[in-house]
């Protein structure tokens, strides 16, 4: 089943916000292959965090990831207006259940 | 520059079939695992299927297992998704993605599949 994310999150410019992603011992808890994607309306998703806490080239260091047991988290520091978007987590789950996304979190920058 | 260009989407009746294609360029296709991810209108992302670089290993989400088949032609740098026994709940934008390790680092712009009578 899908990883559990809060449907919404919000913060003011300059603040920090953390989005959780709750999985199980079969996915998030077993593998360091958790990734996060940012999606603006009408656009394709964009990779912003991979392997729990690594950032692709070009992604601002305001975006950071972590994991504890079956829960992964994405933190956006120093919120900017352009960070307003939908965010999805994804976890690899092994060859029997290759991968699963979270339900998504709509981040609003107030 | 990596480019993934999907095609083949459209309107199909319930129970019908459709084949999606994804033309890849800008990287060594034959050395890359690939995947399809879909997004129903107004809904979240759903992983559909993945395939290894050689095509020898394939994986499917439970909602499409037995109905969809992922394949690739490395000589044509093209990824496919054969979709059979389509249902209304398969209506979605289908994205072709490049897999790096176990994450999706490049995405196409997507092709819309609408299943309706």
């Amino acid at each position: 089943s899908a990883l559990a994310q809060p449907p919404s999150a919000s913060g003011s410019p300059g603040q920090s916000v953390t989005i959780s992603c709750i999985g199980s011992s079969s996915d998030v808890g077993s593998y360091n292959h958790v990734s996060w994607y940012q999606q603006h309306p009408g656009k394709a998703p964009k990779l912003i965090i991979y392997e729990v806490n690594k950032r692709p080239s070009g992604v601002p260091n305001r975006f950071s990831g972590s994991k504890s047991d079956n829960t992964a988290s994405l933190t956006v520091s120093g919120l900017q207006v352009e960070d307003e978007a939908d965010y999805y987590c994804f976890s690899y789950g092994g060859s029997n259940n290759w991968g699963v996304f979270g339900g998504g979190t709509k981040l609003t920058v107030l | 520059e990596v480019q993934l260009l999907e095609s083949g989407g459209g309107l199909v009746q319930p129970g019908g079939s459709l084949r999606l294609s994804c033309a890849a360029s800008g990287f060594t296709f034959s050395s890359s695992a690939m995947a399809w991810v879909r997004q129903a209108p107004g809904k979240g992302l759903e992983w559909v299927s993945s395939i290894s670089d050689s095509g020898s290993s394939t994986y499917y989400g439970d909602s499409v297992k037995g109905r969809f088949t992922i394949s690739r032609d490395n000589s044509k740098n093209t990824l496919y998704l054969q979709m059979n026994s389509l249902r209304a709940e398969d209506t979605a934008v289908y994205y072709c993605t490049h897999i790096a390790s176990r994450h999706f680092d490049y995405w196409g712009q997507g092709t819309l599949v609408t299943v309706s009578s």
Side-chain angles (χ1 to χ4, degrees):
Chain A
S1 56
L3 306 177
Q5 293 183 237
S8 63
S10 63
S12 299
Q15 289 186 332
S16 294
V17 64
T18 296
I19 298 170
S20 61
C21 170
I22 303 173
S24 70
S25 57
S26 299
D27 37 63
V28 175
S30 289
Y31 303 97
N32 286 326
H33 286 293
V34 175
S35 49
W36 290 87
Y37 303 85
Q38 177 191 62
Q39 186 180 35
H40 287 107
K43 301 294 187 181
K46 173 189 174 184
L47 175 69
I48 56 172
I49 294 288
Y50 67 98
E51 292 175 3
V52 177
N53 56 15
K54 298 178 182 177
R55 277 178 291 105
S57 174
V59 174
N61 59 10
R62 303 184 292 102
F63 293 91
S64 62
S66 63
K67 190 186 85 165
S68 178
D69 297 327
N70 298 338
T71 300
S73 299
L74 171 72
T75 297
V76 187
S77 305
L79 274 172
Q80 298 186 3
V81 172
E82 57 263 35
D83 297 334
E84 185 162 295
D86 293 325
Y87 291 84
Y88 297 91
C89 60
F90 175 86
S91 177
Y92 173 68
S95 57
N96 287 334
N97 187 15
W98 197 89
V100 61
F101 277 98
T105 298
K106 181 176 182 59
L107 174 62
T108 301
V109 181
L110 304 169
Chain B
E1 179 192 6
V2 171
Q3 288 195 331
L4 299 171
L5 184 61
E6 303 95 338
S7 61
L11 176 64
V12 62
Q13 292 188 338
S17 298
L18 210 57
R19 188 177 84 156
L20 305 183
S21 300
C22 171
S25 61
F27 62 99
T28 306
F29 184 75
S30 59
S31 299
S32 299
M34 301 290 294
W36 290 96
V37 174
R38 70 184 181 183
Q39 186 170 35
K43 303 297 184 182
L45 301 174
E46 179 186 11
W47 169 74
V48 173
S49 181
S50 298
I51 187 168
S52 61
D53 53 2
S54 66
S56 60
S57 296
T58 57
Y59 309 91
Y60 299 93
D62 288 342
S63 63
V64 306
K65 203 171 294 182
R67 300 187 299 123
F68 290 11
T69 302
I70 192 171
S71 63
R72 62 192 299 158
D73 186 336
N74 286 347
S75 68
K76 295 182 178 179
N77 287 357
T78 301
L79 175 72
Y80 302 102
L81 184 68
Q82 177 66 44
M83 304 184 295
N84 298 331
S85 302
L86 283 161
R87 307 164 180 167
E89 54 264 37
D90 295 318
T91 294
V93 172
Y94 285 73
Y95 293 102
C96 168
T97 70
H98 174 275
I99 296 174
S101 183
R102 297 292 186 268
H103 55 272
F104 313 110
D105 56 349
Y106 295 104
W107 297 64
Q109 284 306 300
T111 186
L112 177 63
V113 172
T114 302
V115 183
S116 175
S117 54

